[in-house]
Amino acid sequence: MNTLPSTDHDDAVWMAEALLQAAHAEAAGEVPVGAVVVVDGIVIGRGRNQPISLHDPTAHAEIQALRAAAQHLGNYRLVNATVYVTVEPCLMCMGALLHARVQRVVFGCYDAKFGAAGSLYDLSQDVRLTHRIQVTPGVAEAASRQLLQEFFRKKR
């Protein structure tokens, strides 16, 4: 797995934005996952989990943020973008991130059941694909994990 340590103070700032989106998802009864897309120090897309409210299994936080960013730029290619997401992206989301040619993904906590950026799978560095994504895991890991654990504890 090609992971990079978080060396940029901005990672914490942008992850705080993703955590805010996750809190909005939780308030709406969705699994608390949030994402933001940043290019040149500017948020160009925000997203939060909305599959329940939108009746759309593809309405994951990353997909929502990618859609907003692509609309903002008028281009589906997000070559200089960094995506900050509270939980490791799943297969679907990593596929979308790869197709969008995202440069970097920063995430909070790993997802042992569905993760596709280093835990269950690692699509970010799959040599069979034409694009690679730099991955920085563990930014705001405790806060991201706590949101999920509390959400699911309340559901039980």
Side-chain angles (χ1 to χ4, degrees):
M1 172 174 41
N2 181 21
T3 62
L4 299 173
S6 178
T7 58
D8 194 346
H9 168 71
D10 289 343
D11 284 354
V13 171
W14 300 127
M15 188 58 79
E17 290 279 331
L19 284 163
L20 180 62
Q21 291 300 312
H24 291 315
E26 181 179 30
E30 302 277 359
V31 176
V33 180
V36 295
V37 180
V38 177
V39 174
D40 296 329
I42 299 168
V43 175
I44 63 166
R46 288 180 172 83
R48 62 182 182 267
N49 267 10
Q50 294 183 284
I52 297 167
S53 60
L54 295 180
H55 311 290
D56 180 356
T58 69
H60 289 196
E62 301 94 322
I63 302 296
Q64 300 294 76
L66 288 174
R67 287 175 179 155
Q71 288 297 310
H72 177 85
L73 292 180
N75 191 340
Y76 76 100
R77 298 287 174 130
L78 307 172
V79 294
N80 295 315
T82 298
V83 174
Y84 294 85
V85 60
T86 57
V87 179
E88 179 184 7
C90 70
L91 285 165
M92 174 185 70
C93 292
M94 278 304 295
L97 293 161
L98 286 159
H99 280 287
R101 302 299 193 264
V102 166
Q103 181 178 31
R104 183 170 172 241
V105 171
V106 178
F107 67 86
C109 60
Y110 283 98
D111 182 349
K113 292 184 180 181
F114 292 101
S119 62
L120 187 59
Y121 302 102
D122 188 1
L123 292 184
S124 70
Q125 297 302 307
D126 192 318
V127 297
R128 297 168 294 179
L129 302 174
T130 60
H131 180 67
R132 309 289 179 280
I133 298 177
Q134 298 171 355
V135 175
T136 302
V139 176
E141 181 176 4
S144 298
R145 181 178 290 112
Q146 184 178 359
L147 267 175
L148 286 171
Q149 288 174 338
E150 288 180 13
F151 176 82
F152 287 113
R153 187 171 28 87
K154 290 175 190 174
K155 290 285 185 190
R156 292 183 191 133

mmCIF file of all heavy atoms in Angstrom, residues 17-57:
data_model
loop_
_atom_site.group_PDB
_atom_site.id
_atom_site.type_symbol
_atom_site.label_atom_id
_atom_site.label_comp_id
_atom_site.label_asym_id
_atom_site.label_seq_id
_atom_site.Cartn_x
_atom_site.Cartn_y
_atom_site.Cartn_z
ATOM 1 N N GLU A 17 -13.763 19.712 8.126
ATOM 2 C CA GLU A 17 -14.894 19.982 7.220
ATOM 3 C C GLU A 17 -15.631 18.688 6.879
ATOM 4 O O GLU A 17 -16.859 18.655 6.831
ATOM 5 C CB GLU A 17 -14.391 20.645 5.935
ATOM 6 C CG GLU A 17 -13.910 22.062 6.106
ATOM 7 C CD GLU A 17 -15.047 23.062 6.128
ATOM 8 O OE1 GLU A 17 -16.100 22.823 5.513
ATOM 9 O OE2 GLU A 17 -14.853 24.103 6.782
ATOM 10 N N ALA A 18 -14.877 17.622 6.639
ATOM 11 C CA ALA A 18 -15.490 16.324 6.344
ATOM 12 C C ALA A 18 -16.271 15.808 7.558
ATOM 13 O O ALA A 18 -17.367 15.261 7.418
ATOM 14 C CB ALA A 18 -14.433 15.322 5.909
ATOM 15 N N LEU A 19 -15.716 16.005 8.745
ATOM 16 C CA LEU A 19 -16.412 15.588 9.973
ATOM 17 C C LEU A 19 -17.710 16.361 10.161
ATOM 18 O O LEU A 19 -18.708 15.812 10.638
ATOM 19 C CB LEU A 19 -15.502 15.759 11.184
ATOM 20 C CG LEU A 19 -14.420 14.687 11.334
ATOM 21 C CD1 LEU A 19 -13.331 15.147 12.293
ATOM 22 C CD2 LEU A 19 -15.021 13.365 11.782
ATOM 23 N N LEU A 20 -17.719 17.627 9.780
ATOM 24 C CA LEU A 20 -18.948 18.419 9.844
ATOM 25 C C LEU A 20 -20.005 17.833 8.913
ATOM 26 O O LEU A 20 -21.183 17.716 9.277
ATOM 27 C CB LEU A 20 -18.655 19.876 9.487
ATOM 28 C CG LEU A 20 -19.840 20.824 9.509
ATOM 29 C CD1 LEU A 20 -20.453 20.918 10.903
ATOM 30 C CD2 LEU A 20 -19.399 22.206 9.030
ATOM 31 N N GLN A 21 -19.594 17.435 7.716
ATOM 32 C CA GLN A 21 -20.528 16.789 6.788
ATOM 33 C C GLN A 21 -21.040 15.465 7.365
ATOM 34 O O GLN A 21 -22.219 15.142 7.223
ATOM 35 C CB GLN A 21 -19.857 16.556 5.428
ATOM 36 C CG GLN A 21 -19.567 17.822 4.657
ATOM 37 C CD GLN A 21 -20.817 18.609 4.359
ATOM 38 O OE1 GLN A 21 -21.823 18.068 3.899
ATOM 39 N NE2 GLN A 21 -20.768 19.900 4.630
ATOM 40 N N ALA A 22 -20.171 14.730 8.037
ATOM 41 C CA ALA A 22 -20.584 13.474 8.672
ATOM 42 C C ALA A 22 -21.619 13.728 9.757
ATOM 43 O O ALA A 22 -22.586 12.974 9.892
ATOM 44 C CB ALA A 22 -19.369 12.753 9.249
ATOM 45 N N ALA A 23 -21.432 14.794 10.507
ATOM 46 C CA ALA A 23 -22.404 15.152 11.546
ATOM 47 C C ALA A 23 -23.758 15.490 10.931
ATOM 48 O O ALA A 23 -24.812 15.140 11.478
ATOM 49 C CB ALA A 23 -21.878 16.310 12.383
ATOM 50 N N HIS A 24 -23.755 16.164 9.779
ATOM 51 C CA HIS A 24 -25.009 16.462 9.067
ATOM 52 C C HIS A 24 -25.691 15.168 8.626
ATOM 53 O O HIS A 24 -26.922 15.057 8.714
ATOM 54 C CB HIS A 24 -24.761 17.352 7.858
ATOM 55 C CG HIS A 24 -24.354 18.754 8.176
ATOM 56 N ND1 HIS A 24 -24.965 19.536 9.135
ATOM 57 C CD2 HIS A 24 -23.377 19.528 7.644
ATOM 58 C CE1 HIS A 24 -24.394 20.715 9.190
ATOM 59 N NE2 HIS A 24 -23.415 20.745 8.295
ATOM 60 N N ALA A 25 -24.901 14.211 8.168
ATOM 61 C CA ALA A 25 -25.466 12.917 7.768
ATOM 62 C C ALA A 25 -26.117 12.233 8.962
ATOM 63 O O ALA A 25 -27.244 11.732 8.867
ATOM 64 C CB ALA A 25 -24.379 12.024 7.165
ATOM 65 N N GLU A 26 -25.416 12.234 10.080
ATOM 66 C CA GLU A 26 -25.957 11.595 11.284
ATOM 67 C C GLU A 26 -27.251 12.261 11.731
ATOM 68 O O GLU A 26 -28.216 11.580 12.090
ATOM 69 C CB GLU A 26 -24.934 11.646 12.411
ATOM 70 C CG GLU A 26 -25.441 10.984 13.680
ATOM 71 C CD GLU A 26 -24.426 10.999 14.797
ATOM 72 O OE1 GLU A 26 -23.611 11.937 14.854
ATOM 73 O OE2 GLU A 26 -24.466 10.063 15.608
ATOM 74 N N ALA A 27 -27.290 13.575 11.690
ATOM 75 C CA ALA A 27 -28.491 14.315 12.093
ATOM 76 C C ALA A 27 -29.690 13.959 11.215
ATOM 77 O O ALA A 27 -30.836 14.034 11.665
ATOM 78 C CB ALA A 27 -28.228 15.817 12.046
ATOM 79 N N ALA A 28 -29.411 13.548 9.978
ATOM 80 C CA ALA A 28 -30.475 13.161 9.054
ATOM 81 C C ALA A 28 -30.787 11.669 9.131
ATOM 82 O O ALA A 28 -31.582 11.162 8.341
ATOM 83 C CB ALA A 28 -30.077 13.539 7.629
ATOM 84 N N GLY A 29 -30.147 10.950 10.058
ATOM 85 C CA GLY A 29 -30.402 9.529 10.216
ATOM 86 C C GLY A 29 -29.587 8.641 9.294
ATOM 87 O O GLY A 29 -29.849 7.443 9.192
ATOM 88 N N GLU A 30 -28.596 9.216 8.642
ATOM 89 C CA GLU A 30 -27.722 8.467 7.738
ATOM 90 C C GLU A 30 -26.470 8.027 8.494
ATOM 91 O O GLU A 30 -26.110 8.611 9.521
ATOM 92 C CB GLU A 30 -27.293 9.349 6.560
ATOM 93 C CG GLU A 30 -28.431 9.905 5.736
ATOM 94 C CD GLU A 30 -28.963 8.949 4.680
ATOM 95 O OE1 GLU A 30 -28.445 7.823 4.554
ATOM 96 O OE2 GLU A 30 -29.904 9.345 3.965
ATOM 97 N N VAL A 31 -25.782 7.022 7.974
ATOM 98 C CA VAL A 31 -24.494 6.622 8.536
ATOM 99 C C VAL A 31 -23.564 7.834 8.435
ATOM 100 O O VAL A 31 -23.450 8.442 7.368
ATOM 101 C CB VAL A 31 -23.912 5.412 7.788
ATOM 102 C CG1 VAL A 31 -22.525 5.076 8.313
ATOM 103 C CG2 VAL A 31 -24.846 4.215 7.916
ATOM 104 N N PRO A 32 -22.926 8.223 9.537
ATOM 105 C CA PRO A 32 -22.147 9.468 9.564
ATOM 106 C C PRO A 32 -20.804 9.396 8.838
ATOM 107 O O PRO A 32 -19.760 9.145 9.430
ATOM 108 C CB PRO A 32 -21.955 9.729 11.048
ATOM 109 C CG PRO A 32 -21.983 8.377 11.675
ATOM 110 C CD PRO A 32 -22.949 7.576 10.852
ATOM 111 N N VAL A 33 -20.880 9.620 7.535
ATOM 112 C CA VAL A 33 -19.685 9.715 6.707
ATOM 113 C C VAL A 33 -19.785 11.027 5.943
ATOM 114 O O VAL A 33 -20.837 11.346 5.384
ATOM 115 C CB VAL A 33 -19.559 8.535 5.730
ATOM 116 C CG1 VAL A 33 -18.302 8.669 4.874
ATOM 117 C CG2 VAL A 33 -19.547 7.207 6.487
ATOM 118 N N GLY A 34 -18.687 11.774 5.941
ATOM 119 C CA GLY A 34 -18.653 13.038 5.229
ATOM 120 C C GLY A 34 -17.402 13.146 4.390
ATOM 121 O O GLY A 34 -16.391 12.503 4.678
ATOM 122 N N ALA A 35 -17.472 13.988 3.350
ATOM 123 C CA ALA A 35 -16.337 14.162 2.448
ATOM 124 C C ALA A 35 -16.303 15.581 1.900
ATOM 125 O O ALA A 35 -17.355 16.218 1.749
ATOM 126 C CB ALA A 35 -16.424 13.168 1.290
ATOM 127 N N VAL A 36 -15.095 16.044 1.600
ATOM 128 C CA VAL A 36 -14.909 17.300 0.885
ATOM 129 C C VAL A 36 -13.835 17.102 -0.177
ATOM 130 O O VAL A 36 -12.916 16.299 -0.001
ATOM 131 C CB VAL A 36 -14.535 18.491 1.802
ATOM 132 C CG1 VAL A 36 -15.667 18.815 2.763
ATOM 133 C CG2 VAL A 36 -13.256 18.245 2.552
ATOM 134 N N VAL A 37 -13.963 17.841 -1.264
ATOM 135 C CA VAL A 37 -12.977 17.831 -2.336
ATOM 136 C C VAL A 37 -12.301 19.194 -2.329
ATOM 137 O O VAL A 37 -12.981 20.225 -2.364
ATOM 138 C CB VAL A 37 -13.628 17.575 -3.713
ATOM 139 C CG1 VAL A 37 -12.564 17.582 -4.820
ATOM 140 C CG2 VAL A 37 -14.406 16.269 -3.711
ATOM 141 N N VAL A 38 -10.973 19.182 -2.285
ATOM 142 C CA VAL A 38 -10.197 20.415 -2.193
ATOM 143 C C VAL A 38 -9.224 20.499 -3.370
ATOM 144 O O VAL A 38 -8.528 19.527 -3.672
ATOM 145 C CB VAL A 38 -9.413 20.470 -0.859
ATOM 146 C CG1 VAL A 38 -8.538 21.711 -0.775
ATOM 147 C CG2 VAL A 38 -10.377 20.407 0.320
ATOM 148 N N VAL A 39 -9.199 21.666 -4.004
ATOM 149 C CA VAL A 39 -8.231 21.961 -5.051
ATOM 150 C C VAL A 39 -7.634 23.330 -4.756
ATOM 151 O O VAL A 39 -8.375 24.297 -4.553
ATOM 152 C CB VAL A 39 -8.876 21.961 -6.455
ATOM 153 C CG1 VAL A 39 -7.876 22.427 -7.514
ATOM 154 C CG2 VAL A 39 -9.416 20.588 -6.805
ATOM 155 N N ASP A 40 -6.331 23.405 -4.715
ATOM 156 C CA ASP A 40 -5.620 24.668 -4.475
ATOM 157 C C ASP A 40 -6.118 25.390 -3.224
ATOM 158 O O ASP A 40 -6.289 26.605 -3.227
ATOM 159 C CB ASP A 40 -5.728 25.584 -5.688
ATOM 160 C CG ASP A 40 -5.042 25.017 -6.920
ATOM 161 O OD1 ASP A 40 -4.032 24.291 -6.749
ATOM 162 O OD2 ASP A 40 -5.506 25.287 -8.042
ATOM 163 N N GLY A 41 -6.374 24.620 -2.165
ATOM 164 C CA GLY A 41 -6.777 25.211 -0.896
ATOM 165 C C GLY A 41 -8.207 25.707 -0.838
ATOM 166 O O GLY A 41 -8.575 26.454 0.075
ATOM 167 N N ILE A 42 -9.033 25.283 -1.790
ATOM 168 C CA ILE A 42 -10.440 25.705 -1.831
ATOM 169 C C ILE A 42 -11.325 24.469 -1.898
ATOM 170 O O ILE A 42 -11.089 23.567 -2.714
ATOM 171 C CB ILE A 42 -10.712 26.597 -3.055
ATOM 172 C CG1 ILE A 42 -9.847 27.859 -2.990
ATOM 173 C CG2 ILE A 42 -12.188 26.950 -3.170
ATOM 174 C CD1 ILE A 42 -9.830 28.660 -4.265
ATOM 175 N N VAL A 43 -12.358 24.424 -1.063
ATOM 176 C CA VAL A 43 -13.335 23.336 -1.126
ATOM 177 C C VAL A 43 -14.207 23.563 -2.354
ATOM 178 O O VAL A 43 -14.852 24.606 -2.481
ATOM 179 C CB VAL A 43 -14.209 23.281 0.146
ATOM 180 C CG1 VAL A 43 -15.297 22.228 -0.004
ATOM 181 C CG2 VAL A 43 -13.369 22.989 1.370
ATOM 182 N N ILE A 44 -14.193 22.596 -3.266
ATOM 183 C CA ILE A 44 -15.015 22.713 -4.471
ATOM 184 C C ILE A 44 -16.163 21.710 -4.495
ATOM 185 O O ILE A 44 -16.981 21.725 -5.409
ATOM 186 C CB ILE A 44 -14.167 22.579 -5.754
ATOM 187 C CG1 ILE A 44 -13.512 21.203 -5.849
ATOM 188 C CG2 ILE A 44 -13.136 23.701 -5.833
ATOM 189 C CD1 ILE A 44 -12.957 20.885 -7.226
ATOM 190 N N GLY A 45 -16.222 20.847 -3.482
ATOM 191 C CA GLY A 45 -17.311 19.888 -3.398
ATOM 192 C C GLY A 45 -17.449 19.359 -1.986
ATOM 193 O O GLY A 45 -16.450 19.115 -1.316
ATOM 194 N N ARG A 46 -18.679 19.234 -1.546
ATOM 195 C CA ARG A 46 -18.976 18.673 -0.230
ATOM 196 C C ARG A 46 -19.984 17.549 -0.409
ATOM 197 O O ARG A 46 -20.840 17.618 -1.287
ATOM 198 C CB ARG A 46 -19.581 19.729 0.687
ATOM 199 C CG ARG A 46 -18.624 20.775 1.174
ATOM 200 C CD ARG A 46 -19.329 21.806 2.085
ATOM 201 N NE ARG A 46 -18.374 22.695 2.697
ATOM 202 C CZ ARG A 46 -17.861 23.780 2.113
ATOM 203 N NH1 ARG A 46 -18.214 24.108 0.892
ATOM 204 N NH2 ARG A 46 -16.983 24.528 2.761
ATOM 205 N N GLY A 47 -19.891 16.545 0.456
ATOM 206 C CA GLY A 47 -20.856 15.461 0.384
ATOM 207 C C GLY A 47 -20.985 14.761 1.717
ATOM 208 O O GLY A 47 -20.084 14.809 2.545
ATOM 209 N N ARG A 48 -22.120 14.139 1.891
ATOM 210 C CA ARG A 48 -22.365 13.323 3.080
ATOM 211 C C ARG A 48 -23.216 12.142 2.644
ATOM 212 O O ARG A 48 -23.876 12.187 1.609
ATOM 213 C CB ARG A 48 -23.053 14.136 4.159
ATOM 214 C CG ARG A 48 -24.414 14.652 3.775
ATOM 215 C CD ARG A 48 -25.009 15.496 4.884
ATOM 216 N NE ARG A 48 -26.328 15.958 4.565
ATOM 217 C CZ ARG A 48 -26.610 17.110 3.990
ATOM 218 N NH1 ARG A 48 -25.644 17.928 3.656
ATOM 219 N NH2 ARG A 48 -27.855 17.448 3.749
ATOM 220 N N ASN A 49 -23.180 11.097 3.433
ATOM 221 C CA ASN A 49 -23.991 9.929 3.115
ATOM 222 C C ASN A 49 -25.457 10.328 3.021
ATOM 223 O O ASN A 49 -25.983 10.989 3.921
ATOM 224 C CB ASN A 49 -23.813 8.862 4.190
ATOM 225 C CG ASN A 49 -22.733 7.876 3.840
ATOM 226 O OD1 ASN A 49 -21.985 8.061 2.900
ATOM 227 N ND2 ASN A 49 -22.645 6.816 4.620
ATOM 228 N N GLN A 50 -26.107 9.902 1.939
ATOM 229 C CA GLN A 50 -27.536 10.165 1.750
ATOM 230 C C GLN A 50 -28.273 9.022 1.050
ATOM 231 O O GLN A 50 -29.304 9.258 0.438
ATOM 232 C CB GLN A 50 -27.732 11.451 0.933
ATOM 233 C CG GLN A 50 -27.270 12.701 1.636
ATOM 234 C CD GLN A 50 -27.551 13.935 0.806
ATOM 235 O OE1 GLN A 50 -26.843 14.207 -0.154
ATOM 236 N NE2 GLN A 50 -28.592 14.652 1.170
ATOM 237 N N PRO A 51 -27.784 7.786 1.125
ATOM 238 C CA PRO A 51 -28.495 6.727 0.405
ATOM 239 C C PRO A 51 -29.919 6.496 0.899
ATOM 240 O O PRO A 51 -30.803 6.171 0.100
ATOM 241 C CB PRO A 51 -27.640 5.479 0.611
ATOM 242 C CG PRO A 51 -26.501 5.851 1.458
ATOM 243 C CD PRO A 51 -26.574 7.303 1.748
ATOM 244 N N ILE A 52 -30.148 6.657 2.194
ATOM 245 C CA ILE A 52 -31.493 6.424 2.733
ATOM 246 C C ILE A 52 -32.444 7.517 2.275
ATOM 247 O O ILE A 52 -33.500 7.244 1.709
ATOM 248 C CB ILE A 52 -31.446 6.343 4.277
ATOM 249 C CG1 ILE A 52 -30.591 5.149 4.716
ATOM 250 C CG2 ILE A 52 -32.857 6.240 4.849
ATOM 251 C CD1 ILE A 52 -30.217 5.161 6.194
ATOM 252 N N SER A 53 -32.070 8.768 2.498
ATOM 253 C CA SER A 53 -32.970 9.873 2.174
ATOM 254 C C SER A 53 -33.180 10.050 0.677
ATOM 255 O O SER A 53 -34.255 10.466 0.248
ATOM 256 C CB SER A 53 -32.467 11.180 2.795
ATOM 257 O OG SER A 53 -31.181 11.499 2.306
ATOM 258 N N LEU A 54 -32.179 9.734 -0.130
ATOM 259 C CA LEU A 54 -32.316 9.882 -1.583
ATOM 260 C C LEU A 54 -32.765 8.594 -2.271
ATOM 261 O O LEU A 54 -32.951 8.586 -3.491
ATOM 262 C CB LEU A 54 -30.988 10.352 -2.193
ATOM 263 C CG LEU A 54 -30.511 11.736 -1.777
ATOM 264 C CD1 LEU A 54 -29.178 12.066 -2.447
ATOM 265 C CD2 LEU A 54 -31.552 12.805 -2.105
ATOM 266 N N HIS A 55 -32.914 7.509 -1.487
ATOM 267 C CA HIS A 55 -33.282 6.203 -2.059
ATOM 268 C C HIS A 55 -32.311 5.848 -3.186
ATOM 269 O O HIS A 55 -32.711 5.427 -4.269
ATOM 270 C CB HIS A 55 -34.720 6.206 -2.574
ATOM 271 C CG HIS A 55 -35.706 6.750 -1.589
ATOM 272 N ND1 HIS A 55 -36.049 6.077 -0.443
ATOM 273 C CD2 HIS A 55 -36.387 7.921 -1.563
ATOM 274 C CE1 HIS A 55 -36.909 6.801 0.245
ATOM 275 N NE2 HIS A 55 -37.132 7.927 -0.416
ATOM 276 N N ASP A 56 -31.024 6.015 -2.890
ATOM 277 C CA ASP A 56 -29.986 5.855 -3.910
ATOM 278 C C ASP A 56 -28.779 5.156 -3.294
ATOM 279 O O ASP A 56 -28.063 5.744 -2.486
ATOM 280 C CB ASP A 56 -29.588 7.240 -4.430
ATOM 281 C CG ASP A 56 -28.506 7.200 -5.492
ATOM 282 O OD1 ASP A 56 -27.968 6.115 -5.806
ATOM 283 O OD2 ASP A 56 -28.181 8.286 -6.014
ATOM 284 N N PRO A 57 -28.530 3.912 -3.657
ATOM 285 C CA PRO A 57 -27.404 3.192 -3.066
ATOM 286 C C PRO A 57 -26.045 3.781 -3.429
ATOM 287 O O PRO A 57 -25.047 3.455 -2.796
ATOM 288 C CB PRO A 57 -27.545 1.765 -3.629
ATOM 289 C CG PRO A 57 -28.359 1.921 -4.860
ATOM 290 C CD PRO A 57 -29.253 3.110 -4.637
#
